[in-house]
Amino acid sequence: MPRSRTFQCLWINRLLLSSEIKYTVNKDKVKQLMRDIGKEIYQLNMAGCYWLPSSTIDHVTRCKNLVKLNLSGCHVTSLRLSKMLSTLQHLRSLAIDVNPGFDASQLSSECKATLSRVSELKQTLYTPSYGVVPCCTSLEKLLLYFEILDRSREGFMLSGQLMVGESNVPHYQNLRIFYARLAPGYVNQEVVRLYLAVLSDRTPENLHAFLISAPGSFAETGATKNLLDSMARNVRLDALQLPKAWINGSGLLQHLKFNNPFYFSFSRCTLSGGHLIQRVINGGKDLKSLTSLNLSGCVHCLAPESLFRKAEDDIDSSILESLVVSCCNLRHLNLSAAHHHSSESIGNHLCQLLSRLKHLLSLALPVCSITDVGASVEKPPSTPNLVPQTFGRKVRIGIQTYPRNLGDQANQKIESSVFWALMGSLRFLETLEIIGSSFSSAMPRNEPAIRNSLPPCVRAQSVGDSEVAAISQLTYLQSLTLAQLPNILTGSGLVNIGLQCQHLRTLSLANLGMMGKVVYMSALMDMLKHCKCLRDLRLEQPYFCAGAQFFQALSHCSSLQRLCIVSRSGTLQSDAVMSFMASCLEVIMCHMFMGESLTVCKNLQQSIVRSFQAERPALNVVIFPLLHEDLTEVIRDVPMRHLDEITLFKSRVAEEPPNLWW
C-alpha cells in the first residue's frame, strides 16, 4: 500500500472513530469526504453513527477499495446493503445491524459474491434472522449480538422462528472464532440455538475461540451437549466462555483441551476453586499466555469446594496464590459480584496476593475484598462534626464538609492498609471497578426500575473515604467505577482522585455513603473542577439534587460528552441543565432518570433538543421519571452505543476478549 494511501486511510478512520471528532460529523461532511478521497480508503469505521440518515450510507459505494467496513449502529435496509456490497469486491471484514424488515432474498448475486469472500462478520440482530450469515461461505470470525425483544411495541409476544424462506445452512467449516452475546429474553436464546445447530453437526477443525455470553438461565440441550462433546474430542481452544448451566455440575472442563489460552470467562458459574485449579489452571501448565480472566459472580472460585460452603466464608488464599503464580501475565481480571473475604493470616490477604500481578491494566473487585481484616470487625469511625448522621437531612452544598488537608488525612488512615499497598503496586492500571457484592442498579435492562436494594456486605461496612483516597495513586487511571461503598462520609478521596488522576475519562459513582442523602456532593463538585479529560459521567444515587451548583462545577469538565444520572426521588433544575448544555459544547448525550414529573421531564427534553440538535447532530436526550411504568419503552429507543457503554450499569472488566473486533 503506498505511503499516501496509508496515511489517508488512517486519517479517515480517526475522523470517524475518534469520539472528539466523530460526534460532529453530519451527512454533508460524510458525502464530501467520500467524493474527495473515497477511492483511497481501505478501512472505514462508522460504528455508532446512529444520527446519519440511511441515504448517507449510499455514498460508501465510492470507497471501492474497502477491505474493512463497520456499520454497526447505522440503519441499513437489505436493498441498500445489496447495492453497496455489490461494488465492494475487495471487502473481507463487515459489521452490520439486522433490523425488522430485513429480507435476505433482496440481496443481489453481486452482493452475495462479495459476501462469499468476507472472512470476518459482526452482526447485531434486532429481529429473528440469519442476516447475511448463510451468504458468507468463507467465514473465519463470527461475532453475533442478540438484541431481540420478547415483545413488540404493540405488546405482542415475538417468536424465535426465522423468516420464511431463510436458509438454515450457515457455513462454519473455516470458522476459527465464534462469539455470541445475548441480551435478556427467551427469544434471543431460541435464535442462538438455531445458529448453533449447524455447529453441533460438524465442529470446525480450526475452531480456537468459542464464546457465549448469556445472562440468567440458558439451559443445555441435547444439541449443545453434542456440540461440547465434539469440541472436547476435536479442537484445542485458546478462548472459552459458556453459559453457567453448561458448566455447573458437569465434567466438561476436565475434557476440553487448550492450546495457548488468552481468555477465560466463567462468569456466574458455581465453579469451585478446587475445580478451577485442577481442570483449568492444570497445575500452572501453559497459563502464562492467559491475559484476560473473568470470574465475576463466581462465588466459590476461591474456595476448595462449594458443597458445604457459605458465600460469605473466608477464601482459601492458597487457591488465589496458585492463580496468581500460574497466570502471572494477566492484564485484565474480574473478581466482582462475589464475597471474597480474606482470613487473618499474615501476608495472605487478597490485595497482597494481587499486588504480584504487575501487568494488570484493568481490575474489578468486590468492596468487601479490599478491607483490612481487623478493620472489618470494628465499628466504622464516627465523625459527627463532618456530616450529620440523621436520615434524610439536607447537606448545605455551598459549604465544604470534608477536611481540607486531604494528604494528611489519607496518610494517617491508610498508608499501612493492604488496599493502599495494592494501589501503589499497580501504578499502570487504567481501569478500576470497586463494586459492592450485593449492589444492583435501579435501572435494569428490560424490567421496571428496582425500588429497593440489598444492604451491603458486613465486611464492607468500613470501606469509605480513605480507601477512595488510595486510588489517587493510579496516575494513569482512565476509567473508575465505585458502587455501594457504605462508609463514605464526606467523599474527600474523590478530590484526591481529581487532582492526581489527570487521565480520567470515565467516572461512574453509585450508592455511596448513606442512602437518605448525598453526603459527598461538596467533594464531588470540587473533584469535577479538576477533571479536564472526563468524557463520560454516570451518577446513580437516591435523592440526588442536580441543581445550579452541581452543573456549574460540571461545566469545568470541558471534554465531557456523555452524562447519565439515575436517582430515585432525585430532583433537577431545568434552567441549570439548559445553562450547562449551552456552556459544554461537546455534550451529545444527556440521560436523566429521576423523581420529577413526566411533564417536567418532557418539557426539559424538548427544550434541549430544540435548542441544540441543529448544532450537535449526534445529540441524544432522554429525561424521564425513573419509576414510570413506560420506562422500558423509552429505554428501547436509546442508541445501543450509549445504552451499552454508559446508561446501563454493569461490570466491563474482561467482559469479552481483548481486541475482539478492530
Side-chain angles (χ1 to χ4, degrees):
M1 188 182 298
R3 181 182 298 272
S4 59
R5 292 189 178 187
T6 302
F7 173 79
Q8 289 175 335
C9 170
L10 293 175
W11 180 78
I12 185 65
N13 267 307
R14 187 176 303 131
L15 177 65
L16 294 177
L17 273 174
S18 177
S19 55
E20 309 97 294
I21 306 174
K22 184 183 68 177
Y23 288 130
T24 66
V25 172
N26 56 36
K27 59 181 181 179
D28 295 327
K29 290 181 180 179
V30 174
K31 292 177 183 178
Q32 185 65 43
L33 284 166
M34 300 306 175
R35 281 197 297 265
D36 292 348
I37 59 172
K39 293 181 180 179
E40 308 298 323
I41 301 173
Y42 292 86
Q43 298 182 25
L44 179 59
N45 192 327
M46 298 177 67
C49 292
Y50 53 85
W51 63 93
L52 293 177
S54 299
S55 58
T56 308
I57 308 301
D58 295 341
H59 296 273
V60 175
T61 57
R62 296 178 180 272
C63 309
K64 298 186 182 299
N65 293 315
L66 272 182
V67 177
K68 295 185 175 184
L69 174 62
N70 192 340
L71 296 176
S72 294
C74 302
H75 187 74
V76 184
T77 64
S78 45
L79 285 174
R80 276 202 159 92
L81 183 67
S82 178
K83 178 183 177 182
M84 177 182 61
L85 295 185
S86 296
T87 65
L88 305 180
Q89 300 180 7
H90 303 287
L91 195 67
R92 298 295 180 269
S93 180
L94 174 66
I96 59 169
D97 291 353
V98 177
N99 293 289
F102 182 89
D103 186 357
S105 66
Q106 296 178 336
L107 302 179
S108 67
S109 57
E110 293 83 4
C111 170
K112 293 179 179 178
T114 297
L115 289 170
S116 69
R117 294 184 289 269
V118 168
S119 60
E120 298 178 354
L121 177 65
K122 177 182 178 182
Q123 193 168 256
T124 304
L125 294 129
Y126 295 95
T127 188
S129 173
Y130 277 124
V132 300
V133 171
C135 301
C136 301
T137 57
S138 303
L139 276 182
E140 297 181 10
K141 177 189 288 190
L142 177 60
L143 277 56
L144 299 168
Y145 294 78
F146 296 86
E147 298 290 342
I148 311 166
L149 297 174
D150 290 345
R151 291 181 179 271
S152 66
R153 292 184 182 276
E154 296 75 25
F156 299 115
M157 298 292 291
L158 296 179
S159 169
Q161 298 299 314
L162 302 186
M163 291 174 55
V164 175
E166 285 214 357
S167 168
N168 60 354
V169 189
H171 299 271
Y172 294 149
Q173 60 268 25
N174 299 316
L175 206 61
R176 300 178 67 249
I177 298 175
F178 181 90
Y179 175 86
R181 193 187 78 176
L182 285 66
Y186 76 95
V187 174
N188 289 315
Q189 295 185 10
E190 286 187 14
V191 177
V192 77
R193 291 191 194 281
L194 297 175
Y195 278 83
L196 292 172
V198 178
L199 275 177
S200 64
D201 292 336
R202 181 181 177 184
T203 307
E205 296 178 357
N206 295 322
L207 188 69
H208 78 98
F210 186 77
L211 308 128
I212 299 180
S213 173
S217 177
F218 185 24
E220 187 180 31
T221 64
T224 55
K225 187 178 186 304
N226 291 338
L227 168 60
L228 297 175
D229 289 342
S230 176
M231 288 171 51
R233 291 192 306 268
N234 301 315
V235 301
R236 300 181 70 88
L237 296 172
D238 291 329
L240 177 68
Q241 179 176 8
L242 295 175
K244 62 180 182 180
W246 298 15
I247 295 180
N248 293 345
S250 73
L252 173 66
L253 294 178
Q254 190 172 1
H255 302 292
L256 286 175
K257 296 181 286 291
F258 301 105
N259 189 25
N260 293 302
F262 61 87
Y263 177 81
F264 283 144
S265 176
F266 302 110
S267 179
R268 298 182 295 277
C269 294
T270 57
L271 185 71
S272 71
H275 288 163
L276 181 67
I277 297 298
Q278 296 168 15
R279 300 178 182 179
V280 181
I281 295 180
N282 195 21
K285 297 177 182 178
D286 300 325
L287 261 295
K288 301 294 187 295
S289 60
L290 194 68
T291 59
S292 188
L293 178 62
N294 189 344
L295 296 173
S296 173
C298 293
V299 296
H300 304 298
C301 68
L302 299 182
E305 49 83 25
S306 59
L307 189 59
F308 301 106
R309 180 182 183 270
K310 296 180 180 179
E312 298 82 7
D313 289 346
D314 289 349
I315 64 173
D316 185 334
S317 59
S318 65
I319 291 176
L320 180 58
E321 186 169 19
S322 297
L323 182 69
V324 168
V325 172
S326 302
C327 310
C328 58
N329 292 321
L330 276 177
R331 288 179 169 82
H332 313 281
L333 176 61
N334 194 330
L335 294 172
S336 65
H339 296 274
H340 294 317
H341 299 165
S342 297
S343 65
E344 296 185 12
S345 302
I346 298 176
N348 290 325
H349 193 284
L350 178 141
C351 291
Q352 293 172 312
L353 295 173
L354 292 184
S355 65
R356 303 180 191 178
L357 297 174
K358 302 300 183 182
H359 301 288
L360 276 181
L361 297 178
S362 63
L363 176 63
L365 295 174
V367 174
C368 55
S369 72
I370 70 172
T371 182
D372 284 281
V373 178
S376 65
V377 297
E378 297 175 2
K379 185 178 179 180
S382 177
T383 55
N385 294 328
L386 298 179
V387 181
Q389 295 296 303
T390 53
F391 186 87
R393 281 187 58 187
K394 301 291 185 181
V395 177
R396 293 184 62 191
I397 302 264
I399 296 179
Q400 302 292 351
T401 59
Y402 54 90
R404 299 301 298 166
N405 197 340
L406 300 172
D408 289 348
Q409 181 203 31
N411 290 339
Q412 291 172 7
K413 288 189 175 182
I414 57 168
E415 278 192 347
S416 60
S417 75
V418 290
F419 185 63
W420 177 275
L422 175 63
M423 294 295 94
S425 66
L426 302 178
R427 293 299 179 93
F428 297 103
L429 201 68
E430 297 175 355
T431 300
L432 177 65
E433 298 176 352
I434 306 294
I435 304 173
S437 304
S438 55
F439 173 77
S440 58
S441 175
M443 195 172 64
R445 179 65 186 275
N446 295 327
E447 306 165 16
I450 296 174
R451 288 163 170 78
N452 298 309
S453 58
L454 296 173
C457 171
V458 174
R459 286 278 188 107
Q461 293 292 341
S462 63
V463 178
D465 295 319
S466 49
E467 283 75 19
V468 173
I471 298 171
S472 64
Q473 298 176 86
L474 303 175
T475 308
Y476 299 100
L477 189 66
Q478 296 183 21
S479 177
L480 175 63
T481 298
L482 301 174
Q484 203 180 40
L485 275 65
N487 200 35
I488 294 292
L489 301 176
T490 66
S492 57
L494 295 173
V495 186
N496 293 39
I497 294 173
L499 288 167
Q500 301 298 324
C501 305
Q502 288 295 300
H503 298 283
L504 191 65
R505 298 160 62 98
T506 300
L507 177 63
S508 176
L509 305 177
N511 290 12
L512 304 185
M514 299 176 63
M515 292 296 97
K517 56 187 174 183
V518 188
V519 297
Y520 60 91
M521 178 65 92
S522 183
L524 174 62
M525 292 190 298
D526 256 14
M527 174 196 191
L528 293 175
K529 295 174 184 178
H530 305 290
C531 296
K532 303 303 182 184
C533 295
L534 191 67
R535 294 181 183 172
D536 294 340
L537 175 62
R538 187 187 192 278
L539 299 172
E540 180 169 343
Q541 189 81 28
Y543 303 100
F544 192 89
C545 177
Q549 294 187 61
F550 166 72
F551 281 110
Q552 185 177 1
L554 189 58
S555 298
H556 287 85
C557 302
S558 54
S559 299
L560 192 70
Q561 295 178 334
R562 300 190 291 189
L563 171 66
C564 179
I565 302 178
V566 179
S567 180
R568 174 171 48 85
S569 302
T571 59
L572 59 83
Q573 197 171 330
S574 296
D575 55 349
V577 178
M578 293 298 293
S579 298
F580 160 73
M581 292 295 296
S583 61
C584 288
L585 305 180
E586 302 296 324
V587 175
I588 54 85
M589 191 207 89
C590 181
H591 291 178
M592 303 178 74
F593 306 95
M594 308 184 78
E596 298 287 359
S597 69
L598 182 60
T599 300
V600 170
C601 292
K602 281 189 173 181
N603 289 340
L604 178 57
Q605 179 173 322
Q606 292 171 359
S607 296
I608 295 175
V609 172
R610 187 168 51 247
S611 300
F612 305 106
Q613 185 79 69
E615 299 173 356
R616 308 177 199 184
L619 184 64
N620 182 256
V621 183
V622 182
I623 301 177
F624 203 76
L626 177 63
L627 301 183
H628 197 281
E629 60 183 4
D630 293 332
L631 177 64
T632 54
E633 293 300 312
V634 172
I635 289 296
R636 70 188 295 170
D637 291 326
V638 174
M640 184 56 60
R641 183 182 194 91
H642 301 321
L643 192 66
D644 191 54
E645 293 179 357
I646 180 171
T647 305
L648 296 178
F649 184 96
K650 63 178 177 178
S651 176
R652 293 176 171 82
V653 171
E655 181 183 19
E656 58 185 28
N659 305 316
L660 188 60
W661 194 252
W662 53 278

